[in-house]
Amino acid sequence: MRKWMLGVLAFSLLACSSLLYYPRKEKFFDPKKFNLSPEDIYFSNREGTKIHGWWFESKIKPAKGTFVFFHGNAENITTHFASMAWLPESGYNYFIFDYPGYGESDGKPSPGSNVDTGREALHWVHENKDPNPLIVYGQSMGGAVALRVVQEVKQKTPIKVMIADGTFSSFQRIARKKMAQHWLTWLAQPFAYVVLSDQWAPDVEEISPVSLIVMHGEQDRVVEFEHGERVFKDAKEPKTFISVPQGHHGDLFWVENRKYRKVILDQIENLK
């Protein structure tokens, strides 16, 4: 019995780890296939780690604003950039960067280093590309990182709106949810609170007075709909919830005839 329990714990540790980080170094897709030619950007986080990102210039001048994209846990920017490849044609700049250990970025990912990198990404864009209030977009794990970063920098770096897409606010809660879905890890759910820390998780109440838009696909099986509902419930005004009936994980701007592209841009442009 003791060996069996140790096996369950080992499986649980692996599950929690893969839930958070799955970096890849290879290049998956070329932006030129999307008629885009990004500028390679390199900057350092506070730990001195070299970070790589891509800057996409708006094809309409002057640009309507700038998105800073915090991507999810898998692969690197050479896949995630495609989610927002439509922004330059819509009149927006956008910047996407890799966390430590992803793509061309040095180092290793961790909750603290990812938040550190996100802070410096916003600072770099504000100082070097766009002094106006930024649009922060975080998808999946990137949403949790972005929420924490906005919470920390809102007094220093101007933020127009925080968009949380298919995300969660507690690493421990989502790990426990995942462990509850498999018979092998069901009994080990309490270990989620031992293996993972919420030290770097966001306090969603602290996002205010920055406007928050929570988007979530009702068919999401990776980060279940209830996690988005929890983020919205815990947040203070001003806030908006956008439920996407046919949305899964990471496809909200592609489903239902791509109508949520206009929905989100209308929301942003109507902000005071």
Side-chain angles (χ1 to χ4, degrees):
M1 178 64 73
R2 187 173 297 174
K3 289 183 178 180
W4 182 85
M5 286 302 295
L6 287 174
V8 170
L9 178 57
F11 186 90
S12 304
L13 290 169
L14 178 62
C16 292
S17 176
S18 62
L19 173 70
L20 289 178
Y21 309 119
Y22 191 62
R24 300 284 290 274
K25 287 293 188 182
E26 59 265 48
K27 188 172 183 177
F28 291 93
F29 298 108
D30 189 338
K32 291 180 181 178
K33 293 183 178 180
F34 293 79
N35 195 30
L36 296 172
S37 298
E39 177 186 354
D40 282 299
I41 301 297
Y42 296 91
F43 64 97
S44 295
N45 63 19
R46 294 182 186 178
E47 297 173 342
T49 303
K50 185 185 76 172
I51 301 299
H52 174 245
W54 277 342
W55 172 262
F56 295 87
E57 195 82 20
S58 168
K59 295 186 177 182
I60 298 173
K61 303 298 180 183
K64 299 176 183 178
T66 297
F67 280 71
V68 180
F69 185 178
F70 289 63
H71 69 69
N73 73 328
E75 300 176 348
N76 56 54
I77 63 173
T78 67
T79 51
H80 290 283
F81 84 91
S83 297
M84 308 300 279
W86 50 276
L87 280 173
E89 289 282 356
S90 299
Y92 288 85
N93 308 312
Y94 91 94
F95 180 63
I96 185 171
F97 62 96
D98 269 325
Y99 309 109
Y102 288 74
E104 293 185 36
S105 293
D106 294 340
K108 294 182 178 180
S110 71
S113 68
N114 292 351
V115 169
D116 177 24
T117 299
R119 282 191 300 248
E120 294 307 309
L122 291 183
H123 177 74
W124 186 90
V125 172
H126 175 63
E127 292 294 320
N128 295 278
K129 291 293 188 179
D130 190 348
N132 298 302
L134 302 172
I135 301 160
V136 179
Y137 170 72
Q139 199 275 325
S140 191
M141 181 200 75
V145 177
L147 286 164
R148 175 59 184 256
V149 170
V150 170
Q151 171 190 334
E152 293 190 4
V153 308
K154 64 182 182 180
Q155 303 296 340
K156 300 177 182 178
T157 303
I159 308 295
K160 182 173 185 177
V161 60
M162 167 71 221
I163 304 168
D165 171 0
T167 195
F168 54 91
S169 56
S170 169
F171 297 106
Q172 293 177 335
R173 275 199 303 271
I174 193 170
R176 183 164 188 168
K177 174 73 175 181
K178 292 302 176 185
M179 294 165 76
Q181 293 172 352
H182 196 286
W183 68 269
L184 187 59
T185 55
W186 191 89
L187 290 174
Q189 292 177 58
F191 285 114
Y193 294 90
V194 177
V195 174
L196 291 175
S197 169
D198 272 343
Q199 178 185 355
W200 295 100
D203 181 352
V204 181
E205 288 187 357
E206 294 300 317
I207 300 300
S208 181
V210 173
S211 294
L212 173 66
I213 299 174
V214 179
M215 305 181 68
H216 219 106
E218 294 182 20
Q219 310 304 317
D220 196 331
R221 299 294 179 263
V222 178
V223 178
E224 292 81 357
F225 190 72
E226 67 190 69
H227 293 287
E229 291 181 308
R230 178 66 179 262
V231 171
F232 183 74
K233 176 178 176 292
D234 290 345
K236 294 180 179 179
E237 297 288 350
K239 60 182 180 178
T240 302
F241 191 84
I242 300 174
S243 177
V244 183
Q246 297 179 29
H248 301 83
H249 193 69
D251 67 356
L252 304 192
F253 296 118
W254 299 91
V255 299
E256 300 180 36
N257 294 319
R258 305 177 183 179
K259 77 174 187 178
Y260 290 95
R261 298 180 183 185
K262 184 176 187 305
V263 169
I264 196 66
L265 295 185
D266 285 348
Q267 286 281 338
I268 291 168
E269 290 167 13
N270 288 333
L271 289 174
K272 296 179 180 180

